[in-house]
Amino acid sequence: MELRNNTSLPTLGRWTLIKSLGSGATSRVFLGVDYLTQEHAAVKIYKVKHTTAFEFMKIETQMLKNFSHPNILAYIESYDSIEFYDPESGKTDRVSAVVMEYAQKGELFDFLEESGYLLEETARMIFAQLISALSHLHAKNIAHRDIKLENLLLDESLNLKIADFGYSSEFSPKKFEIRPVGTSTYFSPEIHSKLPFTAEAADLFAAGIVLLAMVTGHMPFMKASQDDQLYGHFYTHNQAKFWSYHEKLMRKKGIKFEFSENFKDLIERMFDVSPRRRLSLSDIKAHPWMKSSSL
C-alpha cells in the first residue's frame, strides 16, 4: 500500500516522521518515511546545542559509514545542523541527525519481554549473527563498548542489527584500556575490579550476558564481581550452583527446563574470571554449541 504525505506530521529533510520509536538522554528516534520513494528509516535526532549529544552523533555517523555488514544497522545519510520544528514543544530548533536502516521488530530487550525467553536454537541463530558482526568490527579495530539487549535490534525476519555506536572507539590490538564506558551491568570482572582491560574482551563478555539473557529471559547476575551472589560462584569454581539457581528460576516460571551441556560450557568459558582464559572470537565460532544442530 502506498503511503501518502501527511502535512500535519513533522519533517526533517526528505523524511516525514510518522511515529516515535524511543528517546534517550541525548537523542530521540523516529520512524521516518520518504513519500517519494516509500523508503522507511530510523531517524535519530540530536540537539546541536547539546555538546555531548553532538559528539555522540559525530562518532556514530563516522562509525556507521565505515561498516557494511548485514547485522549492523546500515547508514543512509546524516544532517549536520538543520532546522527542525517539533510539534510537541511548538518550537523550531537546530538539530543534527543520522538516518539509518529501520529494524521493524525493535529492541531485543522488548522482544524478550514479550516472548519470555528463547529456545537455545533460536538464541544460537541470533548470537551467531552478533558474533559475526563483532568479528567485522574487531577486524577493523573498532570496539562497540556498549553491547546490551537495548542496543541490539531485530528486523521483521528476526535478523540481528547492532545499533548505538556513540561509545564506540578504535583500539590497538592487545592495548589495555583504563576508562570504562557503556552500561555497568554488562561490564566484565576486571572492569569492576578497576583493572586494565581490553575493549575486545569487554565486548565479548557483554555478548555472553546477552546470550544467557536470551535463553532465560533474565540477567545472569547483578554484576560480574566477587561479591555478587551469582557471579561469585565463578570465583569459587562452583558453577554448578550458578546453573542450579537459573534452572530453579526457570521452573518457577512454569517451565520444565534444562540447559544443554554444550551451552553451559560455552557460557562458563565466556564468563571466566580471567580474561586470558576466556574464549576469543575464533574460539566461540568453533565451540560445539555453535556448530551443533541438535544442541
Side-chain angles (χ1 to χ4, degrees):
M1 180 179 69
E2 182 176 351
L3 295 171
R4 299 192 177 187
N5 200 357
N6 183 338
T7 55
S8 67
L9 293 172
T11 61
L12 188 140
R14 65 187 175 101
W15 304 96
T16 299
L17 310 182
I18 59 178
K19 74 172 181 178
S20 173
L21 297 176
S23 62
T26 60
S27 64
R28 288 189 293 164
V29 184
F30 295 88
L31 173 58
V33 60
D34 180 337
Y35 285 108
L36 189 61
T37 64
Q38 297 292 296
E39 182 180 9
H40 287 72
V43 182
K44 193 171 188 177
I45 298 176
Y46 302 83
K47 287 187 178 180
V48 171
K49 62 185 178 183
H50 194 309
T51 306
T52 303
F54 189 53
E55 287 300 315
F56 281 147
M57 183 265 182
K58 287 199 297 183
I59 292 170
E60 184 154 41
T61 301
Q62 180 184 357
M63 292 294 175
L64 289 174
K65 284 181 176 179
N66 288 332
F67 305 140
S68 178
H69 190 278
N71 302 118
I72 298 174
L73 277 187
Y75 171 85
I76 297 175
E77 63 182 350
S78 56
Y79 296 87
D80 187 2
S81 189
I82 184 175
E83 281 197 353
F84 172 64
Y85 173 74
D86 185 350
E88 287 187 11
S89 66
K91 297 179 180 178
T92 297
D93 217 336
R94 295 204 74 80
V95 301
S96 290
V98 57
V99 184
M100 302 163 286
E101 174 185 7
Y102 172 51
Q104 294 91 328
K105 292 289 186 181
E107 295 178 2
L108 180 55
F109 179 90
D110 293 330
F111 184 77
L112 280 175
E113 285 277 293
E114 293 178 8
S115 60
Y117 73 103
L118 303 179
L119 297 175
E120 282 189 27
E121 291 210 18
T122 305
R124 183 185 60 179
M125 177 193 74
I126 296 173
F127 182 68
Q129 293 177 346
L130 174 57
I131 293 301
S132 176
L134 287 177
S135 295
H136 182 74
L137 295 179
H138 291 183
K140 292 178 175 287
N141 290 338
I142 299 293
H144 185 277
R145 305 198 69 177
D146 198 19
I147 294 295
K148 60 181 179 179
L149 294 169
E150 293 90 338
N151 286 344
L152 303 175
L153 308 181
L154 298 171
D155 69 11
E156 60 183 350
S157 301
L158 297 186
N159 292 309
L160 182 84
K161 305 285 181 177
I162 297 184
D164 288 297
F165 284 83
Y167 285 121
S168 300
S169 63
E170 293 186 34
F171 65 83
S172 297
K174 299 183 180 180
K175 179 183 177 182
F176 287 94
E177 308 282 343
I178 56 173
R179 293 182 180 177
V181 297
T183 306
S184 62
T185 48
Y186 288 81
F187 284 174
S188 58
E190 58 270 24
I191 297 177
H192 285 298
S193 298
K194 302 188 186 313
L195 296 172
F197 63 95
T198 66
E200 313 100 284
D203 276 355
L204 292 181
F205 194 89
I209 292 177
V210 167
L211 174 56
L212 190 51
M214 284 195 289
V215 173
T216 63
H218 57 259
M219 295 292 281
F221 34 73
M222 294 295 291
K223 68 175 185 175
S225 64
Q226 191 166 2
D227 58 359
D228 184 89
Q229 181 183 2
L230 291 172
Y231 190 77
H233 294 313
F234 285 83
Y235 279 92
T236 59
H237 306 288
N238 198 356
Q239 287 89 333
K241 286 189 176 181
F242 174 84
W243 293 113
S244 176
Y245 173 87
H246 284 292
E247 286 182 346
K248 286 178 181 177
L249 198 58
M250 296 300 287
R251 287 167 187 156
K252 283 183 180 178
K253 298 178 182 181
I255 304 166
K256 188 178 181 181
F257 190 89
E258 188 174 349
F259 298 102
S260 71
E261 290 303 314
N262 279 339
F263 178 78
K264 290 194 288 188
D265 182 73
L266 173 62
I267 289 292
E268 287 178 15
R269 296 172 72 184
M270 290 188 73
F271 282 170
D272 199 300
V273 172
S274 169
R276 292 185 178 182
R277 291 195 299 264
R278 279 184 224 137
L279 300 183
S280 66
L281 274 168
S282 58
D283 293 333
I284 293 169
K285 292 176 185 177
H287 192 275
W289 186 79
M290 298 290 287
K291 294 182 169 293
S292 172
S293 58
S294 61
L295 299 177

